[in-house]
């Protein structure tokens, strides 16, 4: 039971971070078009958005403490490759062939409380 509870808690925290990131991006004029896109075994893209004519694949990192270090450090080469392959899957599934894309990272830091998250948005981060 402990493992299931941990997974449920992590998913809830992930959803919380994604909600904050989606609201933040929407306030900046982005259109959120998909959440939690999964393609095969490569992983998941947290948010797919449009910024004007550009398709934006967004990795969201929530931090509640510094146990795992800086959130950007967790996006290693392997993670970047999986994000690219998953993005290719998004193009394939949606029959997109002529749209520019980029990869952004949004970090949400709630170490000082959930009421005042610190949000950082790195455009074209990967």
């Amino acid at each position: 039971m402990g493992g299931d509870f941990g997974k449920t808690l992590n998913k809830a925290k992930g959803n919380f971070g994604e909600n904050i990131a989606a609201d933040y991006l929407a306030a900046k004029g982005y259109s959120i078009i998909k959440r939690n896109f999964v393609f095969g075994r490569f992983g998941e893209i947290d948010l797919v958005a449009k910024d004007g004519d550009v398709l934006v694949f967004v990795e969201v990192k929530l931090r509640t403490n510094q146990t795992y270090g800086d959130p950007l450090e967790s996006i290693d080469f392997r993670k970047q490759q999986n994000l690219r392959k998953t993005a290719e899957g998004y193009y394939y599934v949606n029959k997109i062939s002529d749209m520019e894309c980029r990869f952004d990272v949004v970090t949400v830091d709630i170490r000082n409380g959930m009421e005042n998250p610190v949000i950082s948005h790195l455009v074209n981060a990967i």
Side-chain angles (χ1 to χ4, degrees), residues 45 55-59 80 83-85 87-88 101-105 122-126:
I45 293 178
L55 192 61
V56 183
F57 298 102
V58 182
E59 178 70 7
Q80 290 176 34
L83 287 169
R84 285 187 181 100
K85 290 175 184 172
E88 289 171 4
C101 80
R102 71 171 193 255
F103 295 85
D104 290 5
V105 175
L122 292 111
V123 176
N124 207 20
I126 299 174

Short mmCIF file of all heavy atoms in Angstrom, two decimals, residues 45 55-59 80 83-85 87-88 101-105 122-126:
data_model
loop_
_atom_site.label_atom_id
_atom_site.label_comp_id
_atom_site.label_asym_id
_atom_site.label_seq_id
_atom_site.Cartn_x
_atom_site.Cartn_y
_atom_site.Cartn_z
N ILE A 45 5.03 14.18 -22.21
CA ILE A 45 5.22 15.63 -22.28
C ILE A 45 4.11 16.24 -21.44
O ILE A 45 2.93 15.96 -21.66
CB ILE A 45 5.19 16.13 -23.73
CG1 ILE A 45 6.41 15.58 -24.47
CG2 ILE A 45 5.15 17.66 -23.76
CD1 ILE A 45 6.49 15.97 -25.92
N LEU A 55 4.55 25.53 -31.99
CA LEU A 55 4.11 24.47 -31.09
C LEU A 55 5.16 24.36 -29.99
O LEU A 55 6.36 24.28 -30.27
CB LEU A 55 4.01 23.15 -31.86
CG LEU A 55 3.32 21.98 -31.21
CD1 LEU A 55 1.86 22.32 -30.88
CD2 LEU A 55 3.38 20.77 -32.13
N VAL A 56 4.73 24.39 -28.74
CA VAL A 56 5.66 24.39 -27.61
C VAL A 56 5.41 23.17 -26.74
O VAL A 56 4.30 22.95 -26.26
CB VAL A 56 5.50 25.68 -26.76
CG1 VAL A 56 6.53 25.70 -25.64
CG2 VAL A 56 5.60 26.92 -27.62
N PHE A 57 6.46 22.36 -26.58
CA PHE A 57 6.42 21.21 -25.69
C PHE A 57 7.03 21.66 -24.37
O PHE A 57 8.16 22.14 -24.33
CB PHE A 57 7.20 20.04 -26.30
CG PHE A 57 6.61 19.58 -27.60
CD1 PHE A 57 7.20 19.93 -28.81
CD2 PHE A 57 5.47 18.81 -27.63
CE1 PHE A 57 6.67 19.51 -30.01
CE2 PHE A 57 4.92 18.38 -28.83
CZ PHE A 57 5.51 18.74 -30.03
N VAL A 58 6.25 21.52 -23.29
CA VAL A 58 6.65 22.10 -22.01
C VAL A 58 6.89 21.00 -20.99
O VAL A 58 6.01 20.17 -20.72
CB VAL A 58 5.58 23.07 -21.47
CG1 VAL A 58 6.04 23.71 -20.16
CG2 VAL A 58 5.25 24.14 -22.51
N GLU A 59 8.07 20.99 -20.41
CA GLU A 59 8.40 20.13 -19.28
C GLU A 59 8.20 20.96 -18.01
O GLU A 59 8.74 22.07 -17.90
CB GLU A 59 9.85 19.65 -19.39
CG GLU A 59 10.31 18.80 -18.25
CD GLU A 59 9.68 17.41 -18.20
OE1 GLU A 59 8.95 17.02 -19.13
OE2 GLU A 59 9.93 16.71 -17.21
N GLN A 80 16.14 14.50 -22.29
CA GLN A 80 15.98 15.35 -23.47
C GLN A 80 15.70 14.51 -24.72
O GLN A 80 14.82 14.85 -25.52
CB GLN A 80 17.23 16.19 -23.69
CG GLN A 80 17.43 17.26 -22.64
CD GLN A 80 18.72 18.02 -22.84
OE1 GLN A 80 19.16 18.23 -23.96
NE2 GLN A 80 19.33 18.45 -21.75
N LEU A 83 12.15 13.29 -24.55
CA LEU A 83 11.21 14.38 -24.87
C LEU A 83 11.14 14.61 -26.38
O LEU A 83 10.06 14.80 -26.94
CB LEU A 83 11.63 15.67 -24.16
CG LEU A 83 11.38 15.72 -22.66
CD1 LEU A 83 12.07 16.94 -22.04
CD2 LEU A 83 9.89 15.74 -22.35
N ARG A 84 12.30 14.58 -27.03
CA ARG A 84 12.31 14.77 -28.49
C ARG A 84 11.56 13.65 -29.21
O ARG A 84 10.78 13.90 -30.12
CB ARG A 84 13.75 14.85 -28.99
CG ARG A 84 14.42 16.16 -28.67
CD ARG A 84 15.80 16.28 -29.32
NE ARG A 84 16.40 17.54 -28.95
CZ ARG A 84 17.32 17.69 -28.00
NH1 ARG A 84 17.77 16.65 -27.34
NH2 ARG A 84 17.81 18.88 -27.74
N LYS A 85 11.78 12.42 -28.77
CA LYS A 85 11.08 11.28 -29.40
C LYS A 85 9.58 11.35 -29.15
O LYS A 85 8.78 11.04 -30.04
CB LYS A 85 11.66 9.97 -28.89
CG LYS A 85 13.06 9.70 -29.40
CD LYS A 85 13.67 8.46 -28.78
CE LYS A 85 15.10 8.29 -29.26
NZ LYS A 85 15.78 7.22 -28.55
N ALA A 87 7.90 14.12 -28.67
CA ALA A 87 7.43 15.22 -29.51
C ALA A 87 7.26 14.75 -30.96
O ALA A 87 6.27 15.10 -31.62
CB ALA A 87 8.39 16.40 -29.43
N GLU A 88 8.20 13.95 -31.45
CA GLU A 88 8.06 13.38 -32.79
C GLU A 88 6.78 12.55 -32.87
O GLU A 88 6.07 12.58 -33.88
CB GLU A 88 9.27 12.53 -33.15
CG GLU A 88 10.52 13.35 -33.39
CD GLU A 88 11.78 12.49 -33.54
OE1 GLU A 88 11.68 11.24 -33.52
OE2 GLU A 88 12.87 13.08 -33.69
N CYS A 101 8.55 24.06 -33.85
CA CYS A 101 8.34 23.75 -32.44
C CYS A 101 9.56 24.16 -31.62
O CYS A 101 10.62 24.44 -32.17
CB CYS A 101 8.03 22.27 -32.23
SG CYS A 101 9.47 21.19 -32.25
N ARG A 102 9.35 24.16 -30.33
CA ARG A 102 10.46 24.38 -29.39
C ARG A 102 10.10 23.69 -28.08
O ARG A 102 8.96 23.26 -27.86
CB ARG A 102 10.74 25.86 -29.18
CG ARG A 102 9.69 26.60 -28.40
CD ARG A 102 10.17 28.01 -28.03
NE ARG A 102 9.29 28.57 -27.05
CZ ARG A 102 8.38 29.51 -27.30
NH1 ARG A 102 8.25 30.02 -28.50
NH2 ARG A 102 7.60 29.94 -26.32
N PHE A 103 11.10 23.59 -27.21
CA PHE A 103 10.94 22.95 -25.90
C PHE A 103 11.21 23.99 -24.82
O PHE A 103 12.29 24.57 -24.77
CB PHE A 103 11.92 21.78 -25.75
CG PHE A 103 11.65 20.67 -26.71
CD1 PHE A 103 12.17 20.68 -27.99
CD2 PHE A 103 10.87 19.59 -26.33
CE1 PHE A 103 11.93 19.65 -28.88
CE2 PHE A 103 10.61 18.54 -27.21
CZ PHE A 103 11.14 18.57 -28.49
N ASP A 104 10.22 24.20 -23.97
CA ASP A 104 10.36 25.12 -22.84
C ASP A 104 10.34 24.32 -21.54
O ASP A 104 9.83 23.19 -21.51
CB ASP A 104 9.20 26.12 -22.80
CG ASP A 104 9.23 27.15 -23.91
OD1 ASP A 104 10.09 27.07 -24.81
OD2 ASP A 104 8.36 28.06 -23.89
N VAL A 105 10.86 24.92 -20.50
CA VAL A 105 10.79 24.33 -19.17
C VAL A 105 10.18 25.38 -18.24
O VAL A 105 10.59 26.54 -18.25
CB VAL A 105 12.18 23.91 -18.64
CG1 VAL A 105 12.09 23.42 -17.21
CG2 VAL A 105 12.81 22.85 -19.53
N LEU A 122 11.76 29.00 -18.84
CA LEU A 122 12.90 29.03 -19.75
C LEU A 122 12.42 28.68 -21.15
O LEU A 122 11.99 27.55 -21.39
CB LEU A 122 13.98 28.05 -19.28
CG LEU A 122 14.63 28.49 -17.98
CD1 LEU A 122 14.24 27.55 -16.88
CD2 LEU A 122 16.11 28.55 -18.17
N VAL A 123 12.49 29.65 -22.03
CA VAL A 123 12.04 29.47 -23.42
C VAL A 123 13.16 28.82 -24.22
O VAL A 123 14.34 29.18 -24.08
CB VAL A 123 11.67 30.84 -24.02
CG1 VAL A 123 11.30 30.70 -25.50
CG2 VAL A 123 10.54 31.47 -23.23
N ASN A 124 12.81 27.84 -25.04
CA ASN A 124 13.78 27.15 -25.89
C ASN A 124 14.91 26.56 -25.06
O ASN A 124 16.08 26.72 -25.38
CB ASN A 124 14.30 28.11 -26.97
CG ASN A 124 14.75 27.38 -28.21
OD1 ASN A 124 14.35 26.24 -28.46
ND2 ASN A 124 15.58 28.03 -29.00
N ALA A 125 14.55 25.89 -23.99
CA ALA A 125 15.51 25.42 -22.99
C ALA A 125 16.21 24.13 -23.38
O ALA A 125 17.27 23.82 -22.84
CB ALA A 125 14.80 25.23 -21.65
N ILE A 126 15.62 23.36 -24.25
CA ILE A 126 16.21 22.05 -24.58
C ILE A 126 16.60 22.02 -26.03
O ILE A 126 15.87 22.43 -26.89
CB ILE A 126 15.18 20.92 -24.28
CG1 ILE A 126 14.84 20.94 -22.79
CG2 ILE A 126 15.71 19.57 -24.71
CD1 ILE A 126 13.73 19.98 -22.40
#
